[in-house]
Amino acid sequence: MTTLRADHSLKLILGSGSPRRLELLAQLGVTPTAVRPPDIDEDARKGELPRDYVNRIAAEKAAAVEAGDGEVVLCADTTVALGRRIMGKPADAEEAGKFLNAMSGRRHKVITAVAVKRGERIWQKDVQSTVAMKRLSDAEVHAYIASDDWKGKAGGYAIQGPAGAFIPWINGSYTGIVGLPLTETAGLLTAAGFPLYTGDI
């Protein structure tokens, strides 16, 4: 991956309306100049595998965000995969419950793809993590659904919320599971010439 020279005049555009991604970016000491979530079709294609799906969506998001000279665009997409099955954001509480029951007592993968665009170039990387979910009781599923924490979350849960009590073990990137793997994101931004770690020591 070629790395461009750091340009301190660059502005960062976050192509996501996710408050979690804003919070994770803040851990890198970065506040985007603007937030411009793109409006694209996020439906999976027939037979599309989860990793291919998130990489395609992240790239399409980046391509759809308008950016001028001196702007770097950061987009990401996260999905939960149970085998080859893509478990996106549930449409309603019933579907969220079905997702949780399907994952109960099993391991699944959380895949986040990150795409950074500067000019005509896009730098991209995906991160796969394995997550174990304990066997859930009906009471636990019903209480979690009633909390509404599942709304807008891939797979119908968020590890950083109440559902963290359902997750005894992970293998991979915690920040990737939340929605923005920081090590890889920092690497992509640096490759695109966006300055990180510029404070005086």
Side-chain angles (χ1 to χ4, degrees), residues 70-136:
E71 292 183 333
V72 172
V73 174
L74 170 65
C75 293
D77 191 68
T78 300
T79 199
V80 169
L82 190 62
R84 296 165 64 95
R85 179 183 174 190
I86 296 171
M87 304 177 83
K89 298 170 184 174
D92 51 31
E94 182 181 2
E95 187 171 40
K98 288 179 179 178
F99 283 0
L100 288 172
N101 284 316
M103 292 183 288
S104 174
R106 301 175 65 185
R107 293 183 181 182
H108 60 270
K109 291 191 182 299
V110 179
I111 311 167
T112 295
V114 182
V116 171
K117 179 178 74 172
R118 181 179 174 187
E120 297 299 314
R121 294 188 61 182
I122 292 181
W123 292 260
Q124 191 161 344
K125 196 170 183 73
D126 67 73
V127 176
Q128 299 189 67
S129 302
T130 303
V131 180
M133 184 173 285
K134 77 183 189 79
R135 189 168 298 280
L136 303 177

Side-chain angles (χ1 to χ4, degrees), residues 18 20 24 78 110 112 159-160 173-180:
S18 165
R20 296 171 296 285
L24 288 166
T78 300
V110 179
T112 295
I159 193 172
Q160 73 277 17
S173 167
Y174 176 80
T175 53
I177 295 168
V178 176
L180 192 69

